[in-house]
Amino acid sequence: MKKFGLTAIGFAAMSALLVAGCSSDGNPATGDDDFNLDQPISLLDTLTVTSAANLPVCDASREGRAFFVQNENMPHLCIKGTWRSAADSTDFSITCSDGFLHAVDKIAHQPHLNVDTVRYSGLQRDTIPGVVQNGPFIFGTSVVLNEASEMNFFRADGNGHSASTCVQTNDGHYTLESVSTNSNYVKISATGFYRNMVTGGSSANPVTLSALTKVASSVEGAGTTPIRVRNSVNVNILTQLEIPRIEQLAMNHIEFNEAKAQAEREIFAAFGIDTVQFYLQPYFTDGRTDKPVAEDLDMFGNSEYSAALFAISVMLQGDRSETEMMSLANNLAEDIKGDGVWNDPNWKIKIADWVVGLDTLWKYNDIRNNVSSWGVSAIPNFEKYIRAFIPVAYGFEPCSDANAGQVTYVNQGQSALFANDYEHADHSRVRFICDANSKEWRIAQPIEKDTAGFGPGAYDKEVREGRVNHDTYYIFDSGTWRIATPQEADGFTDIAEVYASLKPNEKAVFIIRHSERTDNTGPTGHLTSNGKTYARNLGKRLAAIANEDFYYGYSGYTRTQETCEEIALGKGQQQYTLDILPYMDGSWYVKDGAKANDYTNADGGWVVYSKYAFTGAYEDAFYDLKTRSEELLKDNILGNISTMKRVNFMCTHDYLVVPLLAYTTSGHANVRYYEKWRWVNYLSGVAMIISPDGSIRYVPVKGLESGTM
């Protein structure tokens, strides 16, 4: 058998040619001789032209090479200086290997049939069509059929009859002509390049997919024509995955059809696909009501079966090379082989992490657009089957009415989305929600994951920190949670704004922390120059609103005195009362000073005072929060309000302000340093608003941009 000239270009040689830019070929799409080396080259694009007019010159350098002509949906081969259509092969035949077509001398005679031919119990000189898909396989794909021995657990050892053909279109369709076999079972293997649904380009390397199938049933009695049970065989990733499991079940004496059905159920289940549901839906359009098997499936259709196959192919492909994809597929097949279960959590999590990327960026449309660009019109609803894999990989409960709206997190350390607990955001802020409408797990939106479990607010306008996004705040407004504005976010309202909103018959007492201090924390420690400026600026902002004098009181410490004085100076108030108020001392809540100091030295003052304020810890060192706060507010402040003015400023310390904030906000102030690392800022505290009827409301207030530090 003589091959014409340069009939085949091995993959390594072709790769070198593509890297070199195929400069002698010109641009296959335009016929131009200038080839842009800066553009990525894919095999499919390089060997495909729009029409015969765009074919490059057929010379000795291209002898035997095949180019695919799109508008004819057929390859042309360079034969003795002339481009010849594959449909006009009067003096040559087409064969293929490694994903490339070859031209060979015409074989005029048919294979000799020996005496055993008439005793075939399988198909005799029959035709088997089908389609090869992992994305469509392209022209040049070789398809080989070999007998599979029932006595050898349906393995094809290559000793029986065989048949072969080449895919000559870009949609993966093939036809095996004049198939003869002594066995009812055959293995069909396809090797070639395919269109990658994820990237939209063609594969860089050829891959091999196989299908093991029953094509006929034996009939007792020599010379009797066997019963044909299969008219076509499709080859896809599902047919590839199931073969080792079928062989294993056969070794356990399970009949072929039962073994195949079990293997397919187990593979679908490995990807979280419930076959019970879609086996209820018809697949065949010719009136058949039996269940389809893997080699019946076409991934480009409108059925649930097509969608499931499409989804599995996409997930195994991911962002992997052909070698990596096939390695994963083979590992999966071997894993399932023994017990029918995919036992490797690492691969599941890798796939799921990639799927989450699709879901987050809505890359499903990219896949749809890739497939549509190939002229494929039927693209199934594959997205739901990809999403169905998320709970399988991450160990979530199936999404149902029972857990609709539940939000959860990934607790597998192998995952890029791992979180130590629901609120831990150091590794990943991705959380998942069981969608009440679709009954699918999906990426939770920020407000969904941040307010999960909040329930109704304890009061209107309550502000809470996001559970996952700790730098985002939410406010309970008119019966629902929404994102808080920057002003609402830290839960503190500007002092000037609160003052401006006072009604004429209301009184206000602003109990605030001193301004920025020096490192001297003793009674004689001063404010910094910045601290004086901050306090004076607050006074200036109040002066723009105020038309009255304020009363001032302080703890007796120099820095609290200076804070009140600078506010009055900025306000322009020349005459004012400035009293030392013992109940403004920072140790107001301390019951046992020695024990409080011991705790502070051991754990840190901010931790101790915030933990006491919000959890009641260190009860042997501190007074009861409620009792002591009421004594401060009612007995001391309200008890002496008649000696003060309508508006009053009391300058105190953070060790008083934090417990007071905890009490007046029912524990919702965002100063839980022991937990959230937030502490009250300078010039921040609580406004006590007293109505004419004696009722009181409390508002967290700030004199700087933020109420916390």
Side-chain angles (χ1 to χ4, degrees):
M1 184 183 300
K2 179 183 178 183
K3 290 188 176 182
F4 289 115
L6 179 61
T7 58
I9 302 177
F11 180 72
M14 177 55 78
S15 297
L17 181 61
L18 295 182
V19 170
C22 302
S23 57
S24 63
D25 288 351
N27 188 324
T30 64
D32 244 336
D33 283 339
D34 294 327
F35 202 85
N36 188 350
L37 293 176
D38 293 330
Q39 295 299 317
I41 301 171
S42 72
L43 176 67
L44 179 61
D45 296 335
T46 305
L47 298 181
T48 299
V49 295
T50 56
S51 68
N54 298 112
L55 288 165
V57 175
C58 176
D59 55 21
S61 68
R62 297 188 180 90
E63 182 68 24
R65 189 183 306 176
F67 276 70
F68 191 77
V69 179
Q70 287 180 318
N71 67 345
E72 297 180 21
N73 195 31
M74 184 179 298
H76 284 224
L77 292 96
C78 180
I79 306 296
K80 299 179 180 179
T82 304
W83 286 108
R84 302 283 297 279
S85 168
D88 182 28
S89 54
T90 55
D91 58 347
F92 67 94
S93 294
I94 298 174
T95 185
C96 49
S97 65
D98 297 327
F100 294 97
L101 291 180
H102 310 266
V104 298
D105 286 326
K106 187 72 174 179
I107 302 175
H109 61 280
Q110 297 294 333
H112 176 69
L113 303 180
N114 61 33
V115 68
D116 290 332
T117 301
V118 296
R119 300 184 61 192
Y120 288 159
S121 60
L123 295 181
Q124 179 180 333
R125 304 196 58 70
D126 213 334
T127 298
I128 298 179
V131 63
V132 188
Q133 296 173 328
N134 190 48
F137 274 60
I138 66 172
F139 82 108
T141 298
S142 61
V143 181
V144 178
L145 174 147
N146 287 291
E147 291 183 359
S149 171
E150 185 174 3
M151 300 301 295
N152 193 28
F153 309 114
F154 307 108
R155 295 189 179 94
D157 55 17
N159 295 322
H161 289 80
S162 64
S164 63
T165 189
C166 301
V167 172
Q168 297 187 28
T169 62
N170 273 346
D171 57 10
H173 282 85
Y174 72 90
T175 301
L176 287 163
E177 304 283 0
S178 302
V179 177
S180 299
T181 174
N182 280 324
S183 174
N184 293 328
Y185 305 92
V186 299
K187 183 177 183 180
I188 297 178
S189 298
T191 302
F193 297 88
Y194 64 94
R195 284 168 154 166
N196 186 317
M197 296 184 292
V198 176
T199 66
S202 62
S203 63
N205 295 286
V207 301
T208 299
L209 296 182
S210 300
L212 179 61
T213 188
K214 185 176 184 179
V215 291
S217 289
S218 301
V219 176
E220 296 297 330
T224 306
T225 303
I227 299 173
R228 182 170 184 169
V229 298
R230 175 153 297 285
N231 294 318
S232 63
V233 179
N234 293 343
V235 182
N236 50 59
I237 198 66
L238 183 57
T239 63
Q240 172 78 15
L241 293 173
E242 70 180 1
I243 293 175
R245 181 60 173 159
I246 292 172
E247 293 172 346
Q248 181 65 39
L249 292 171
M251 294 176 67
N252 297 333
H253 309 292
I254 296 177
E255 188 272 331
F256 181 82
N257 288 342
E258 183 180 346
K260 174 178 271 290
Q262 180 176 334
E264 290 171 7
R265 287 196 305 270
E266 290 166 343
I267 293 168
F268 279 128
F271 287 91
I273 299 171
D274 183 4
T275 53
V276 173
Q277 294 300 316
F278 71 66
Y279 276 154
L280 297 175
Q281 304 178 38
Y283 177 75
F284 300 104
T285 58
D286 57 3
R288 292 169 55 189
T289 59
D290 53 319
K291 298 175 183 177
V293 292
E295 56 268 37
D296 289 316
L297 303 186
D298 182 343
M299 66 196 307
F300 303 119
N302 294 317
S303 72
E304 296 299 312
Y305 304 89
S306 297
L309 175 60
F310 192 114
I312 292 174
S313 294
V314 167
M315 285 189 281
L316 290 180
Q317 179 66 71
D319 55 3
R320 299 173 184 85
S321 68
E322 295 77 38
T323 301
E324 292 168 338
M325 183 270 294
M326 289 305 300
S327 176
L328 169 57
N330 292 332
N331 286 339
L332 168 58
E334 284 300 309
D335 194 341
I336 290 178
K337 174 182 176 179
D339 58 5
V341 177
W342 191 5
N343 297 295
D344 186 346
N346 292 326
W347 270 119
K348 292 181 186 179
I349 289 170
K350 287 179 183 178
I351 293 173
D353 284 355
W354 180 79
V355 166
V356 171
L358 287 184
D359 209 56
T360 303
L361 302 175
W362 197 247
K363 288 290 187 178
Y364 301 115
N365 283 339
D366 290 353
I367 295 173
R368 285 186 169 274
N369 292 336
N370 290 338
V371 176
S372 294
S373 71
W374 306 331
V376 176
S377 58
I379 303 174
N381 181 20
F382 67 93
E383 293 91 342
K384 67 178 181 179
Y385 290 111
I386 289 183
R387 283 203 181 108
F389 187 68
I390 290 176
V392 172
Y394 295 143
F396 300 160
E397 291 294 324
C399 181
S400 64
D401 287 326
N403 59 350
Q406 177 184 336
V407 187
T408 190
Y409 65 101
V410 177
N411 62 4
Q412 282 90 351
Q414 310 97 308
S415 173
L417 310 179
F418 167 72
N420 288 327
D421 55 53
Y422 184 86
E423 297 188 359
H424 195 279
D426 285 357
H427 300 296
S428 171
R429 296 190 180 192
V430 174
R431 301 295 182 266
F432 296 86
I433 187 169
C434 173
D435 191 282
N437 296 318
S438 67
K439 301 303 182 293
E440 296 174 343
W441 287 99
R442 61 168 173 79
I443 302 296
Q445 296 297 315
I447 194 169
E448 292 173 328
K449 62 189 176 186
D450 278 346
T451 63
F454 273 10
Y459 50 86
D460 194 40
K461 299 299 189 294
E462 179 190 2
V463 175
R464 296 189 194 176
E465 180 183 277
R467 293 190 62 196
V468 178
N469 297 296
H470 303 305
D471 52 357
T472 303
Y473 294 87
Y474 299 85
I475 187 167
F476 190 68
D477 185 13
S478 303
T480 188
W481 291 98
R482 63 170 173 81
I483 295 178
T485 65
Q487 183 174 358
E488 297 166 332
D490 66 357
F492 291 80
T493 303
D494 187 79
I495 291 174
E497 182 180 337
V498 172
Y499 173 64
S501 66
L502 284 177
K503 296 177 181 177
N505 56 359
E506 288 181 328
K507 294 182 178 181
V509 179
F510 293 96
I511 308 165
I512 62 172
R513 183 187 180 190
H514 56 75
S515 193
E516 183 181 272
R517 60 167 173 77
T518 64
D519 291 337
N520 182 355
T521 60
T524 60
H526 292 275
L527 296 182
T528 65
S529 59
N530 281 339
K532 293 180 179 180
T533 299
Y534 297 153
R536 195 178 309 125
N537 287 343
L538 173 59
K540 290 178 180 178
R541 291 194 292 114
L542 293 169
I545 307 166
N547 56 6
E548 60 187 312
D549 289 340
F550 298 164
Y551 168 84
Y552 300 92
Y554 70 104
S555 68
Y557 279 48
T558 301
R559 58 182 174 275
T560 57
Q561 177 184 350
E562 290 176 344
T563 299
C564 286
E565 289 173 343
E566 292 295 333
I567 293 173
L569 179 61
K571 182 178 174 296
Q573 189 173 346
Q574 300 298 323
Q575 301 295 323
Y576 55 88
T577 301
L578 177 58
D579 291 332
I580 296 176
L581 305 175
Y583 50 84
M584 284 293 106
D585 191 276
S587 61
W588 172 256
Y589 286 93
V590 176
K591 178 171 64 176
D592 187 320
K595 290 181 179 179
N597 285 335
D598 289 342
Y599 289 132
T600 298
N601 291 334
D603 300 335
W606 290 7
V607 170
V608 170
Y609 277 80
S610 60
K611 201 168 186 179
Y612 151 67
F614 290 94
T615 72
Y618 312 106
E619 60 182 6
D620 57 338
F622 294 93
Y623 291 108
D624 174 73
L625 180 70
K626 179 180 179 181
T627 301
R628 193 62 167 166
S629 297
E630 291 291 326
E631 184 181 345
L632 171 68
L633 297 168
K634 294 181 179 178
D635 296 350
N636 287 287
I637 296 178
L638 279 181
N640 293 288
I641 195 72
S642 61
T643 65
M644 304 179 193
K645 295 187 178 295
R646 191 180 82 95
V647 177
N648 310 275
F649 274 83
M650 298 185 178
C651 301
T652 181
H653 303 268
D654 47 4
Y655 282 1
L656 181 147
V657 170
V658 167
L660 186 60
L661 278 167
Y663 173 72
T664 55
T665 64
S666 300
H668 296 298
N670 187 25
V671 287
R672 295 173 179 257
Y673 184 81
Y674 70 95
E675 181 181 64
K676 303 297 184 183
W677 313 110
R678 299 261 184 179
W679 190 246
V680 66
N681 203 0
Y682 298 117
L683 297 177
S684 296
V686 178
M688 181 182 185
I689 313 299
I690 306 159
S691 298
D693 62 2
S695 61
I696 300 172
R697 71 180 188 276
Y698 300 101
V699 180
V701 293
K702 60 185 178 182
L704 299 175
E705 184 176 351
S706 173
T708 60
M709 63 188 307

